[in-house]
């Protein structure tokens, strides 16, 4: 465990999280969430939890992003009624 | 329906990439008990390869290879493998999911090795089918079948 690398990665994770909830465009928020998942995956690999990192990379960054994008395409900003 | 963007680069690249992704998913499932990975992660990777096929080739191409009926059968078949192995160990005198008592003519250590492999395969099949099913339901919003 290198604490300097941990600190840098955690800083990026916090930046990505705040950016994902404060950006207005939904598609940008989804991409930022995928970036957040990849950074968490790097963090977990660096801490030695390879199995958790594998799950995060495949579910959080892979399937999750695709499902969010599919859901964003089905929604509109204003409701019809 | 998500309309797809016709591009020969994307179509060709995905056609080359999907078999490699599926092979990697099978590798992750088969080596799940001795290295990082396992049934869940391998199943998600297998499901992701089918989702890539939906994105690059359209929904009908996937419906030809993996119909909703086949998907449902896969979904319950994996669960059957999982629960069946557990109940089989229960019948032959062990606890539920106690692989040492499975009726295969090997030593107890090898029986445990093979038992956890069967569990991983069952979990992988179910997770793959459920992931494909969720994505097909979202992307078609119940238009077909």
């Amino acid at each position: 465990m290198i604490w300097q690398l941990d600190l840098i990665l955690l800083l990026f994770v916090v930046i990505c999280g705040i950016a994902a909830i404060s950006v207005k465009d939904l598609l940008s928020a989804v991409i930022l969430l995928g970036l957040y998942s990849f950074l968490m995956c790097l963090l977990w690999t660096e801490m030695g939890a390879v199995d958790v990192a594998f799950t995060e990379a495949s579910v959080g960054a892979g399937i999750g992003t695709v499902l969010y994008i599919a859901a964003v395409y089905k929604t509109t900003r204003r409701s019809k009624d | 329906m998500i309309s797809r963007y016709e591009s020969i680069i994307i179509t060709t690249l995905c056609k080359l990439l999907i078999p490699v992704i599926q092979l990697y998913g099978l590798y992750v499932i088969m080596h799940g008990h001795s290295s990082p990975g396992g049934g869940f992660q391998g199943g998600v990777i297998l499901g992701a390869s089918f989702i890539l096929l939906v994105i690059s080739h359209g929904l009908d191409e996937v419906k030809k290879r993996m119909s909703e009926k086949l998907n449902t059968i896969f979904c319950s078949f994996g669960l059957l493998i999982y629960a069946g192995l557990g109940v089989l160990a229960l019948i032959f005198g062990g606890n539920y999911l106690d692989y040492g008592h499975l009726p295969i003519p090997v030593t107890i250590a090898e029986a445990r090795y093979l038992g956890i492999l069967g569990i991983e395969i069952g979990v992988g099949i179910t997770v793959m089918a459920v992931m494909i099913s969720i994505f097909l339901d979202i992307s078609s919003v119940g238009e077909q079948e």
Side-chain angles (χ1 to χ4, degrees):
Chain A
M1 244 176 97
I2 314 160
W3 72 267
Q4 290 93 343
L5 189 59
D6 267 1
L7 200 66
I8 294 169
L9 282 175
L10 273 172
L11 201 66
F12 275 115
V13 165
V14 170
I15 289 171
C16 273
I18 292 174
I21 57 172
S22 58
V23 75
K24 197 162 172 62
D25 185 27
L26 284 178
L27 202 58
S28 312
V30 170
I31 300 300
L32 280 168
L33 217 56
L35 189 59
Y36 168 88
S37 274
F38 265 121
L39 286 171
M40 281 307 280
C41 166
L42 272 182
L43 198 61
W44 267 318
T45 315
E46 199 269 333
M47 285 177 172
V50 188
D51 218 347
V52 183
F54 205 151
T55 312
E56 180 76 40
S58 58
V59 177
I63 295 283
T65 308
V66 169
L67 289 183
Y68 278 135
I69 287 176
V72 165
Y73 265 103
K74 292 291 161 197
T75 53
T76 50
R77 183 158 285 282
R78 307 206 176 278
S79 63
K80 277 174 187 147
D81 45 87
Chain B
M1 272 299 298
I2 300 171
S3 61
R4 78 194 170 96
Y5 176 72
E6 293 275 355
S7 162
I8 186 138
I9 297 173
I10 292 174
T11 315
T12 314
L13 199 64
C14 289
K15 214 175 258 179
L16 285 175
L17 212 56
I18 285 167
V20 182
I21 294 174
Q22 286 178 342
L23 207 61
Y24 181 62
L26 287 177
Y27 169 83
V28 169
I29 291 179
M30 296 308 278
H31 291 253
H33 44 301
S34 53
S35 63
F40 185 75
Q41 288 94 330
V44 167
I45 291 172
L46 280 177
S49 73
F50 277 96
I51 288 175
L52 189 61
L53 195 65
V54 177
I55 292 172
S56 63
H57 286 74
L59 210 58
D60 298 327
E61 185 76 21
V62 173
K63 284 277 167 65
K64 254 190 290 180
R65 285 155 204 266
M66 181 73 109
S67 61
E68 300 247 343
K69 196 176 275 179
L70 188 67
N71 215 350
T72 315
I73 291 172
F74 268 148
C75 196
S76 37
F77 180 66
L79 206 61
L80 182 72
I81 292 178
Y82 188 100
L85 274 174
V87 172
L88 208 63
L90 200 63
I91 289 171
F92 282 87
N95 289 320
Y96 187 70
L97 291 179
D98 190 358
Y99 319 119
H101 290 85
L102 285 178
I104 33 181
V106 286
T107 61
I108 288 183
E110 281 171 343
R112 288 188 190 279
Y113 181 88
L114 290 174
I116 192 69
L117 187 61
I119 295 293
E120 302 274 16
I121 290 171
V123 171
I125 291 173
T126 303
V127 169
M128 177 194 75
V130 169
M131 287 296 166
I132 298 170
S133 159
I134 291 174
F135 184 73
L136 288 186
D137 282 348
I138 288 184
S139 63
S140 67
V141 206
E143 278 168 10
Q144 285 123 338
E145 293 182 58

